[in-house]
């Protein structure tokens, strides 16, 4: 697991297609967080569980680096990825 974390931390983004793929694939916020609504009333809430993922910090960092690459090196508007 440690070597996978190191690989993600040191992964260098050098191509716009790779950066776009990373930005599209890794969500901006936890996709599992939900409000449970029944007949128009909130009956429960599922909290964000992404921080339980041991690679969460590395994936968020990778997505951030991809967005920075697109904005800084490619001059793209990253609004669509946020």
């Amino acid at each position: 697991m440690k070597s996978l974390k190191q690989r993600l931390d040191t992964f260098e983004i050098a191509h716009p297609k790779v950066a776009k793929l990373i930005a599209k694939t890794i969500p901006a916020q936890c996709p599992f967080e939900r409000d449970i609504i029944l007949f128009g009333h909130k009956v429960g809430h599922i909290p964000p569980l992404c921080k339980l993922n041991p690679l969460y910090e590395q994936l968020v960092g990778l997505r951030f680096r991809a967005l920075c690459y697109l904005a800084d090196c490619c001059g793209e508007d990253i609004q669509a990825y946020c």
Side-chain angles (χ1 to χ4, degrees):
M1 181 67 78
K2 199 170 217 172
S3 71
L4 182 57
K5 285 183 177 184
Q6 290 173 343
R7 280 183 167 169
L8 289 172
D9 282 337
T10 59
F11 185 80
E12 190 172 323
I13 300 167
H15 198 276
K17 285 187 179 183
V18 173
K20 287 179 185 180
L21 178 66
I22 290 170
K24 287 179 186 177
T25 306
I26 301 173
Q29 56 189 356
C30 187
F32 304 112
E33 182 178 20
R34 300 264 192 275
D35 286 331
I36 302 169
I37 298 174
L38 188 62
F39 302 114
H41 299 313
K42 180 178 170 183
V43 295
H45 178 76
I46 299 172
L49 301 173
C50 293
K51 290 191 178 184
L52 297 176
N53 181 347
L55 299 175
Y56 176 77
E57 296 295 328
Q58 284 73 25
L59 292 172
V60 169
L62 181 62
R63 183 177 196 280
F64 179 74
R65 290 194 313 272
L67 291 173
C68 287
Y69 176 82
L70 287 172
D72 296 341
C73 297
C74 301
E76 286 196 32
D77 181 20
I78 59 170
Q79 199 75 17
Y81 303 105
C82 298

